[in-house]
Amino acid sequence: MGTYHHCNSGPCVFDLLIKVYIQKGMLKDAVKTFRQMGSRGFKASIYSCNTILSSISRKQRKSSALLFFKEILMMGISPNVRTFNILLNALCSEGKLEKAGYLLSKMEEVGCSPTVVTYNTFLNWYYKRGWYKAALKLLNCMESKNIKADVFTYNIIIDVLCKRNRSAKAYMLLKRMKEAGISPNERTYNSLINGFCKEGKITIAARIFGDMSKHHLVNCITYNTLIDGHCRNNNTDEASRLLDEMEAMGVEPDEVTYGTLLNGYCKASNLDAAMTLLERIRTKGLVINYIMYTTLIDGLCKEGKLRNALKILDTMFEVRVSPDVITYSTLINGLCKMGKIYHTKGILSKMHKTGVTPNSNLYSTLIYHYSKQGDIMDAMKLYTDMYRTGQNANVLTCNAILSSLCTMGKLTEAEEFMRHMIRMGRYPNSDSFNIVINGYACRGKALGAFSIYDEMVKQGIPPNKCTYRCLLKGLCVGGSLEEARRFFFQILDIPFVVDIMTYNTLLSGMCEFGNVEDALILCDKMMEDNIIPDAYTYTILISGFCRKGNIVPAIVLLEKMIEKALLPNHVAYTCLIDCLVKEQQLKGACFLFEEMMNKGLYTDVDAFNAMINGYLKAGMMEKVNKLVKVMKNKGLHPNLATYNILIQGYIKQQHAVRLFDLYKTMIQQGVMPDKVTYHSLILGLCECGMIDIGVKFLEKMMLNGVVPDESTFNMLIKKHCEKTQMQNAYNLIHCMKRLQMSPSGSTYDAILNGLNNKNDFEQSFKVLYEMKEKGFHLKPTHYITLINGNCRIGNIPEAFRLRTEMEILGVAPYEVAESTIIRALCKCGKVDDALLILTVMLRKQMVPTIATFTTLMHGLHREGNVAYVMYLKDLMEHSGLKLDVITYNVIITGLCANHRVADAFKLYEEMKMKDLLPNITTYVVLIDAIGKENKLVEGETLLKDIQERGLVSPGNSNKSLHKGLLDAMCRLNNLRSCRQKIMNSKM
């Protein structure tokens, strides 16, 4: 009996040990005990075998379970259905469905009939793998063996159908279940509700929910699913009602419930409700996790409320909820979309401080946005950090950097970066090569573009439409239109390469360089190839004609577009409007602009700019102000070009106050002035006499990083020279030299005039020497001004030296140089010296200029030497010089001053005989002299001549001669005064 007890109790003890080992997770010890039983001649119970087998399939490789199964068979232990079910599940989970199927057939051979659990295992994995036909075959097999499907069988099929968006068919299975007497459980209903919610069929989901409630099967998961469905369909009110109902029914909401509703509020932009819900969670004493905070931050970012989002991040730190990489990514994405990329540096700093490492998606986002803004240094820094943290940039991220480099014109660096990509195992794709090819193409560097194309082919990457289009663009932009034409006809033979965009590229190049007629021929060729011109094609042609000022064919093309039912876009209209404005056809431009507005076409800032420019040129300020208001009402903000046009318009009207207002508005709107803006502002200030403020704007311009051009400096220097503020002018010249600029020739002229006006002839000569050193063409006027000035201050030797230099340098012929010194000496009263030089000239058989003779005569008259004046007159006529009105006026004035009125009147008659019309000076001098000496005959003749000229109206016959001459004198002086005012206004 004792032996019998020992023999029977032994296996039980081992089975108990195995059970304990498995419960404690000591699988190895359980297997060891199993094997010890075999070595001692005991057989483990199938229960113990199944326990070990189940643990092996869960904790180890599934193949180990198969080995253990073989070990069971070797020990002569007969497996039961559960043994096979465990092993079948293990094989299916490893994807060995065919092997599992073979085992199923063997199971039946050994007389172990499969149960519904067996078939459920297979069905579950078949559906997971998408083997629907095999699953259907298995169901038929179940029915043939009279194995009834249970709730788990139906759940598997219903779940799969719902996931495949076939919830209606799954719902039919629910009815079939009930008819078969199988009660659906929570999983059945939850699968159906989830399926209908995802398909947007909330009404049916709610009906199923009602049926579920009747059977008291509703749980937290059910409510969560339905709340999520309502939130997905933007029905947050119903979702909120379900939350209240859930609590009323005693079902406690969990984190998923609140998180789902919070997400729904944020997606519906109902941020107030989201904040209220967050407070409700906090009131209940529940912990608000980082997912909820992240959801709220995402909602705030999408609404552009970045400050509030940043406050939520601070709140997270305060309540000690650690943000994860998704939280930070959400904030950074929001900042990037709002164009506040530089604020992301602070977020990144917080990330590093909290020990959160950016992931590859976050790095890629930042690199993309920095690259897009042209901040390649920060983009490259992030790219380096990315690799330093063990993360790899994908090709899309690398392409963003390539695009930025090419946009900035750093094409050599772009090529080097492509080589770096290859070294790092990120091989460039067709987009990478196309980006660099396009970079060269946009700058007209066709050779560089074709070089990259050759490399692309060498790397085995096939070119596409975009590649060939970029190559064609490179030739067009570079002006190589003949090569572009040849290349175009070469690629015509490549199938599926040439499309409407390729044609448009070549058309655009032709029109850009004025070959509009050739573009029209190409357009005909395009239609021959059955490629119908689109709206962009016509826009290119319209733009080409407008650029050449050919408005008529451009209008014809516009009408043709309308005939072909191609709606002209805003670009076509804007080109036409701009062309009409330039051609001063403002009425036509207004008509097209109104038509554009009436048709509801998108009217961009460029169209408004064209019209504003037209109205400003016409001086129609009321129209300008009205148009700016219309523009703002349409939500269009004036851009830099708008402000530049307005500033230039107000300069013409000298509205200094308005200029300042425009500048302030620009800055407030965040529009940064460029060179054109600053130049226009400075010009306006100079025109209004505010040169000092103009200089201040120049300083501000340079502080803002805008380098002024030479024209801006030249303008200010000239204005300072006009006011003889030479020190200020020199300060600006020194500034120019620091920027490696040089004053223009006209500016040097202004400097010379300014110095000469201040009698600083020594400095004038230095400037003249500087001009000569810099290769400027020296004009006679440069020396004449200096010679006159030196004579005026009595520095005659310097004047003679300048005259000699003027002759040696070939600035003017000998006659001109001598004439210059003669005039200068006369002007400073040294007439004898002037006559001496004249004598030398005449000995050399050189004839002075008329101006020289006139100046000498004027000087001689001042000394009363009338005889020599008359001698010079005869000499002029003998030398073939024709006396002009000015010369006659000088002689007549001198004769009258020396009381030789009769001789003066003879010269007056001589003027008339030579068909020289006396001017106001002639008449005024003679009237004054005749009146003083009471020359009645001459007076009557003179008054009659003046009346015949129409300078004075015929007087009353009863009026005395003396009175008539006095009236004529007043009238002539008035005419002279009016003429002077007109000349001043023009200046």
Side-chain angles (χ1 to χ4, degrees), residues 353-418:
K353 284 178 182 177
T354 54
V356 180
T357 305
N359 58 19
S360 57
N361 289 333
L362 180 54
Y363 273 120
S364 297
T365 300
L366 283 167
I367 290 168
Y368 170 79
H369 283 283
Y370 272 116
S371 299
K372 193 177 178 182
Q373 285 204 179
D375 194 344
I376 194 65
M377 294 303 293
D378 279 329
M380 290 303 294
K381 186 181 176 184
L382 285 165
Y383 177 79
T384 307
D385 288 345
M386 192 174 183
Y387 273 95
R388 193 180 292 127
T389 54
Q391 300 179 63
N392 295 325
N394 57 26
V395 178
L396 286 172
T397 306
C398 294
N399 284 352
I401 293 172
L402 272 177
S403 180
S404 181
L405 287 167
C406 291
T407 304
M408 294 171 71
K410 296 183 177 182
L411 300 169
T412 308
E413 290 85 346
E415 288 190 53
E416 180 56 41
F417 188 75
M418 281 181 75

Side-chain angles (χ1 to χ4, degrees), residues 477-502:
V477 174
S480 306
L481 292 182
E482 195 55 43
E483 287 84 350
R485 198 194 304 270
R486 282 200 293 269
F487 178 72
F488 175 78
F489 284 104
Q490 283 174 9
I491 63 174
L492 272 174
D493 299 329
I494 304 172
F496 312 113
V497 164
V498 176
D499 58 6
I500 183 75
M501 292 175 73
T502 318

Side-chain angles (χ1 to χ4, degrees), residues 262 265-277 295-305 308:
L262 189 70
Y265 282 139
C266 290
K267 283 186 176 176
S269 300
N270 193 352
L271 297 177
D272 291 335
M275 295 296 289
T276 304
L277 181 64
T295 303
L296 188 58
I297 287 169
D298 184 49
L300 289 164
C301 287
K302 284 176 180 174
E303 287 294 301
K305 297 180 178 180
N308 293 343

Side-chain angles (χ1 to χ4, degrees), residues 229-484:
H230 281 296
C231 288
R232 284 174 185 270
N233 286 273
N234 295 321
N235 193 1
T236 52
D237 291 340
E238 183 59 25
S240 181
R241 190 197 64 77
L242 280 170
L243 176 63
D244 295 336
E245 182 187 303
M246 186 178 180
E247 291 177 331
M249 295 296 291
V251 181
E252 193 65 35
D254 60 6
E255 289 181 355
V256 176
T257 317
Y258 289 116
T260 303
L261 187 54
L262 189 70
N263 189 40
Y265 282 139
C266 290
K267 283 186 176 176
S269 300
N270 193 352
L271 297 177
D272 291 335
M275 295 296 289
T276 304
L277 181 64
L278 212 63
E279 191 58 37
R280 181 176 177 178
I281 298 166
R282 193 179 287 110
T283 306
K284 283 181 172 286
L286 297 172
V287 176
I288 301 169
N289 60 25
Y290 70 93
I291 297 172
M292 294 180 187
Y293 279 116
T294 303
T295 303
L296 188 58
I297 287 169
D298 184 49
L300 289 164
C301 287
K302 284 176 180 174
E303 287 294 301
K305 297 180 178 180
L306 296 175
R307 286 186 181 178
N308 293 343
L310 290 166
K311 284 179 182 177
I312 296 294
L313 182 68
D314 293 336
T315 303
M316 288 180 77
F317 288 122
E318 286 170 11
V319 297
R320 297 184 179 180
V321 176
S322 300
D324 68 348
V325 69
I326 297 170
T327 314
Y328 287 113
S329 298
T330 303
L331 258 175
I332 285 170
N333 274 324
L335 288 165
C336 289
K337 284 178 182 177
M338 290 290 289
K340 297 183 178 181
I341 189 167
Y342 293 107
H343 290 75
T344 61
K345 291 180 180 179
I347 305 296
L348 281 173
S349 176
K350 283 183 179 179
M351 278 187 79
H352 292 303
K353 284 178 182 177
T354 54
V356 180
T357 305
N359 58 19
S360 57
N361 289 333
L362 180 54
Y363 273 120
S364 297
T365 300
L366 283 167
I367 290 168
Y368 170 79
H369 283 283
Y370 272 116
S371 299
K372 193 177 178 182
Q373 285 204 179
D375 194 344
I376 194 65
M377 294 303 293
D378 279 329
M380 290 303 294
K381 186 181 176 184
L382 285 165
Y383 177 79
T384 307
D385 288 345
M386 192 174 183
Y387 273 95
R388 193 180 292 127
T389 54
Q391 300 179 63
N392 295 325
N394 57 26
V395 178
L396 286 172
T397 306
C398 294
N399 284 352
I401 293 172
L402 272 177
S403 180
S404 181
L405 287 167
C406 291
T407 304
M408 294 171 71
K410 296 183 177 182
L411 300 169
T412 308
E413 290 85 346
E415 288 190 53
E416 180 56 41
F417 188 75
M418 281 181 75
R419 288 190 282 272
H420 160 79
M421 285 172 69
I422 296 167
R423 288 196 298 271
M424 298 301 291
R426 290 289 174 268
Y427 292 95
N429 57 14
S430 58
D431 290 337
S432 312
F433 281 99
N434 287 344
I435 286 165
V436 183
I437 289 170
N438 188 55
Y440 277 109
C442 288
R443 283 159 181 79
K445 297 180 179 179
L447 287 175
F450 275 95
S451 172
I452 301 298
Y453 166 75
D454 293 338
E455 184 63 29
M456 184 180 184
V457 175
K458 188 179 174 182
Q459 293 288 337
I461 298 171
N464 53 26
K465 287 181 183 179
C466 181
T467 314
Y468 291 111
R469 193 161 56 247
C470 290
L471 290 168
L472 186 65
K473 187 205 287 185
L475 291 166
C476 290
V477 174
S480 306
L481 292 182
E482 195 55 43
E483 287 84 350

Side-chain angles (χ1 to χ4, degrees), residues 686-706:
C686 289
E687 293 292 329
C688 295
M690 293 184 277
I691 308 172
D692 294 339
I693 300 173
V695 174
K696 293 289 182 186
F697 266 95
L698 181 72
E699 292 170 0
K700 190 173 183 65
M701 179 182 184
M702 290 190 285
L703 285 171
N704 288 337
V706 182

